[in-house]
Amino acid sequence: MPSHTALLELALRDSRYLVSLFSIIESIIPQTNVTLRYASVNETEMTAWVNATMKYPSVLLEDIDSITKVDCSTSSVDITFGNTADYEESFATWPSSSFLLFTNHLGDCDTENERGLYVVSRMDFNNDTLTVTASTEKSTFDASCDEMEIAFTKPSSTTTSKREVTQTFLGDFPGTLSLSDSPTTTKLSISVESPSLGGSLAVSGHLHYSWFHLKPTSFYVDIDLSLSASANVKVVAGLAYDNDVYTFSPASVSVSAFSIPGILDVGPRLEFSLGVEVAVSGEVDISADLSATIADGNIHLDLLDSDKTTTSGWKPVYTHETNISATIEAQVNPFVALTAAIGVDFLSGLLDLSAGVTAKPTLINVFTVNGEFDISNTANVTLPAPTETTCVNGLWFSSAFAFIVDAFVTQFYTVELYRLDVPIYESGCWSWAPGAINGSS
């Protein structure tokens, strides 16, 4: 008589067989809800899942292991089975018309990395060769779906958090960058010495599209962003200039695009710029150094509803130093800006959006003789008026650090997500001591 252990092993083996058999049969039976998995060659980089509700019952031929051959033409799909049981199951469960076949077999069936969709209008079965011939018409997701939900992410098995795209960037630009090369500003020299930019970007997202409503019902991306930047701005003015902004864009990086062929293309892009806002009332030399590091910027960017867009983190650490050569009214505001932009194309233009986030740290420096000098700035930071009635050296100075994060969906909205205005040096008399106005936070 078999032992209890032997009986248990037999029961477990029979159970595993039944589970396996059920799984095989389930993959043959047409379903209106299908799940399609996509992954890069290196699965640690990116993966995606597409859950679709189809207009017709559907069969994913790639999920049926017993199929030995799939041949396609402009009007038919031939499917050959390797065993009688699965062939007979298809004969018993496949409708004679009005259902979908998904192919993933290359040849004339589909292009590389893209599945083919075929609407069946008639079925013929050859019992001798175990071959099913379906009379078909090629279709598309747009024509065959009722609902589609897409999630793209980085596998959770990695040591980092789940993200679809991760990119690290770092740029050092030796020497001096000229920001004022216009013929009309020959007596104004603005330069940035040895600027540096670095950081990282990580993106994941989710899209739900309804053909019943003919629009997306949910669409968001999650962005993790870090930034480190430094710039030493020098301004040499030979006469007066009104507020102008001088910028330089030293780098634009296209992050590895993510594509679900035939369904979704996501093209992240990083754009850097640095520059200075300048206004002076006469001849002067001014230098302003700024470095800033932001390690933990997180944005939940809802592409459909600005009220659902949120942010967290954004704790900047910065250093600064300012010097001026003459008693003169002036404003010199160096800044660094990083924009993480994302272009999204769903089903070849059915939904085409661009969105992103811009992070911009700015050092605002204002020098004034009588307190009446224009101290407006693009960061919209209000500096307090000087409290002293007179200054021994005749010059007041005020300084602030501004950090602003804006989110945008090009076609719909722009919203300020985060603002930090930190007084560095409240309005007071300038001491003229070298490096007097400097520090960190």
Side-chain angles (χ1 to χ4, degrees):
M1 180 177 179
S3 66
H4 289 293
T5 301
L7 289 173
L8 179 60
E9 289 176 350
L10 180 62
L12 288 173
R13 185 166 65 247
D14 289 344
S15 175
R16 286 193 293 268
Y17 170 76
L18 290 173
V19 170
S20 176
L21 180 62
F22 177 78
S23 178
I24 292 171
I25 293 174
E26 187 180 36
S27 65
I28 296 174
I29 297 175
Q31 309 282 340
T32 54
N33 294 321
V34 298
T35 299
L36 309 175
R37 184 176 182 273
Y38 295 82
S40 60
V41 176
N42 179 359
E43 291 196 17
T44 62
E45 292 181 5
M46 59 191 76
T47 57
W49 290 264
V50 176
N51 296 315
T53 301
M54 311 305 296
K55 293 180 178 178
Y56 308 103
S58 305
V59 173
L60 273 64
L61 298 180
E62 66 195 80
D63 288 347
I64 305 174
D65 294 336
S66 60
I67 291 178
T68 59
K69 188 177 182 181
V70 177
D71 286 325
C72 302
S73 70
T74 56
S75 60
S76 67
V77 176
D78 292 338
I79 306 151
T80 302
F81 286 85
N83 67 57
T84 303
D86 289 355
Y87 169 79
E88 291 178 347
E89 184 66 29
S90 72
F91 180 83
T93 59
W94 289 6
S96 59
S97 64
S98 299
F99 85 106
L100 278 169
L101 295 174
F102 281 77
T103 65
N104 190 12
H105 302 80
L106 298 179
D108 294 327
C109 294
D110 46 75
T111 59
E112 187 175 5
N113 299 323
E114 188 170 348
R115 289 175 172 87
L117 279 71
Y118 294 87
V119 179
V120 177
S121 59
R122 175 179 170 176
M123 301 290 291
D124 292 302
F125 293 84
N126 188 322
N127 297 334
D128 295 330
T129 61
L130 303 183
T131 299
V132 181
T133 299
S135 298
T136 59
E137 181 179 349
K138 196 163 188 178
S139 186
T140 63
F141 283 100
D142 191 9
S144 302
C145 281
D146 280 335
E147 305 276 339
M148 182 180 288
E149 186 174 12
I150 303 171
F152 49 93
T153 185
K154 191 167 184 176
S156 58
S157 58
T158 61
T159 55
T160 57
S161 58
K162 292 196 292 183
R163 289 293 179 266
E164 176 268 317
V165 174
T166 301
Q167 179 79 10
T168 299
F169 53 90
L170 181 64
D172 290 303
F173 310 92
T176 301
L177 302 174
S178 176
L179 303 187
S180 58
D181 53 6
S182 170
T184 62
T185 57
T186 54
K187 292 185 178 294
L188 177 65
S189 170
I190 303 174
S191 60
V192 182
E193 295 186 353
S194 302
S196 177
L197 291 165
S200 64
L201 168 70
V203 181
S204 66
H206 176 274
L207 165 65
H208 185 278
Y209 191 91
S210 168
W211 274 263
F212 178 77
H213 296 95
L214 293 177
K215 65 179 183 180
T217 57
S218 173
F219 195 4
Y220 64 81
V221 292
D222 291 315
I223 301 172
D224 290 352
L225 189 63
S226 69
L227 169 67
S228 62
S230 63
N232 180 0
V233 176
K234 294 187 179 299
V235 177
V236 178
L239 41 84
Y241 287 94
D242 292 331
N243 274 37
D244 282 312
V245 178
Y246 300 87
T247 62
F248 177 75
S249 299
S252 180
V253 179
S254 180
V255 182
S256 301
F258 177 67
S259 178
I260 305 174
I263 300 178
L264 180 69
D265 289 299
V266 179
R269 189 169 186 84
L270 295 171
E271 297 176 354
F272 313 99
S273 64
L274 55 87
V276 60
E277 185 179 14
V278 176
V280 294
S281 64
E283 187 173 346
V284 70
D285 293 358
I286 303 174
S287 67
D289 297 352
L290 168 66
S291 68
T293 300
I294 298 97
D296 59 348
N298 313 114
I299 308 101
H300 176 81
L301 181 59
D302 193 299
L303 279 71
L304 306 179
D305 188 348
S306 62
D307 291 338
K308 295 180 180 178
T309 294
T310 58
T311 189
S312 62
W314 304 112
K315 298 177 181 178
V317 177
Y318 57 92
T319 63
H320 54 89
E321 182 172 328
T322 303
N323 280 286
I324 189 169
S325 66
T327 304
I328 198 171
E329 295 174 327
Q331 184 171 192
V332 176
N333 309 328
F335 64 84
V336 178
L338 169 63
T339 298
I342 301 169
V344 179
D345 184 1
F346 176 61
L347 293 180
S348 302
L350 183 63
L351 182 66
D352 192 351
L353 294 174
S354 60
V357 59
T358 298
K360 183 179 178 181
T362 304
L363 178 64
I364 299 166
N365 298 298
V366 173
F367 301 88
T368 177
V369 175
N370 54 19
E372 297 177 356
F373 187 59
D374 179 15
I375 59 171
S376 62
N377 53 80
T378 57
N380 294 320
V381 173
T382 301
L383 299 177
T387 56
E388 292 88 345
T389 55
T390 59
C391 283
V392 176
N393 298 316
L395 188 65
W396 283 293
F397 172 73
S398 187
S399 181
F401 175 81
F403 179 62
I404 300 171
V405 179
D406 290 328
F408 62 89
V409 179
T410 304
Q411 293 89 329
F412 298 132
Y413 70 82
T414 298
V415 60
E416 184 179 285
L417 289 181
Y418 180 84
R419 169 180 284 268
L420 176 68
D421 298 335
V422 181
I424 293 176
Y425 186 83
E426 295 185 359
S427 299
C429 295
W430 179 259
S431 67
W432 294 100
I437 306 302
N438 61 74
S440 62
S441 178

